[in-house]
Amino acid sequence: AQRVTQPEKLLSVFKGAPVELKCNYSYSGSPELFWYVQYSRQRLQLLLRHISRESIKGFTADLNKGETSFHLKKPFAQEEDSAMYYCALGGMNRDDKIIFGKGTRLHILP
Amino acid sequence: ETGVTQSPTHLIKTRGQQVTLRCSSQSGHNTVSWYQQALGQGPQFIFQYYREEENGRGNFPPRFSGLQFPNYSSELNVNALELDDSALYLCASSLGGQAFFGQGTRLTVV
């Protein structure tokens, strides 16, 4: 069964410190992994997807199929990174549904 | 700013009533998905429509139903509302696996 696990509900990190938001998934097929972010009073939006291998706002995420993980990382946290982060799993087919984890609230401390 | 719009933004209904929520997809997107997001939870997949046909359903009872129209806009209908149906309902249109979300409809059932 498809499943996304984000073990941390809340992560507090000091400004300038490294950030790692954990995500593990379960999927029998070729997965496509995403990170979505929701800033205060804004709609849910795509941060990055593994297939594009981009760095967005300093964040990166590497798909590790052996560990079935897709952790989100940033070397130096900024205050504007405070938000709710959701890891999401979809399939490679156009019409595959996207399954979300429960989310991790990232709180950057000054 | 994405092109996905939802209406209404807020709604209060009484237990037992029926509700219809609407979603206008981003131009060119033929897939639309609906999610329920309870307070403090990640979005839960309700169902997906692809070219006017239901194409995948989550663990929601039959009183949750939907439609997709030829212009790819969509409706979510919920019959016999229950208190636990109170949540933020998100619509997402997608192309190539990337979902673009609307701002959501906050439904309160009293």
Side-chain angles (χ1 to χ4, degrees):
Chain A
Q2 286 176 256
R3 190 167 59 246
V4 177
T5 304
Q6 293 180 252
E8 303 136 329
K9 284 188 79 169
L10 172 66
L11 185 64
S12 296
V13 173
F14 284 102
K15 180 181 169 182
V19 174
E20 183 178 42
L21 301 174
K22 291 186 167 46
C23 172
N24 288 88
Y25 69 91
S26 173
Y27 186 73
S28 56
S30 295
E32 183 161 13
L33 276 298
F34 307 85
W35 277 97
Y36 280 82
V37 61
Q38 189 165 30
Y39 300 103
S40 180
R41 300 182 187 282
Q42 293 188 28
R43 65 182 65 191
L44 200 57
Q45 58 186 283
L46 180 68
L47 179 63
L48 53 81
R49 57 197 300 189
H50 92 271
I51 202 168
S52 59
R53 297 181 180 273
E54 295 175 298
S55 172
I56 306 292
K57 299 185 179 184
F59 285 96
T60 59
D62 291 317
L63 178 61
N64 185 325
K65 290 188 178 179
E67 295 182 359
T68 60
S69 68
F70 189 57
H71 304 326
L72 183 69
K73 299 178 183 178
K74 183 170 182 176
F76 306 105
Q78 297 172 280
E79 287 191 61
E80 55 264 34
D81 295 330
S82 292
M84 198 70 190
Y85 291 80
Y86 295 96
C87 182
L89 166 68
M92 287 298 190
N93 296 319
R94 169 199 302 245
D95 51 356
D96 279 335
K97 63 187 179 187
I98 297 176
I99 303 297
F100 286 82
K102 292 188 176 182
T104 297
R105 180 167 295 285
L106 178 62
H107 183 211
I108 305 302
L109 303 166
Chain B
E1 185 69 22
T2 71
V4 181
T5 57
Q6 292 184 243
S7 63
T9 54
H10 296 82
L11 198 54
I12 300 175
K13 287 285 191 178
T14 304
R15 191 171 50 182
Q17 284 189 311
Q18 178 266 344
V19 69
T20 297
L21 310 182
R22 294 180 173 82
C23 173
S24 177
S25 304
Q26 184 152 330
S27 178
H29 290 186
N30 54 19
T31 302
V32 66
S33 303
W34 285 91
Y35 292 84
Q36 181 194 66
Q37 188 174 18
L39 203 60
Q41 300 292 317
Q44 296 292 308
F45 177 74
I46 302 176
F47 44 57
Q48 178 176 270
Y49 279 82
Y50 175 62
R51 293 187 174 178
E52 303 177 57
E53 292 197 5
E54 188 178 291
N55 179 45
R57 188 176 183 92
N59 189 26
F60 280 81
R63 60 189 184 84
F64 285 77
S65 63
L67 280 174
Q68 187 181 30
F69 299 100
N71 66 354
Y72 302 136
S73 65
S74 177
E75 287 182 355
L76 164 65
N77 299 290
V78 188
N79 293 323
L81 282 166
E82 299 177 1
L83 297 180
D84 285 349
D85 296 333
S86 296
L88 181 68
Y89 288 85
L90 297 168
C91 167
S93 71
S94 56
L95 184 67
Q98 179 177 339
F100 294 85
F101 283 84
Q103 81 283 9
T105 294
R106 171 79 55 194
L107 173 65
T108 302
V109 182
V110 298

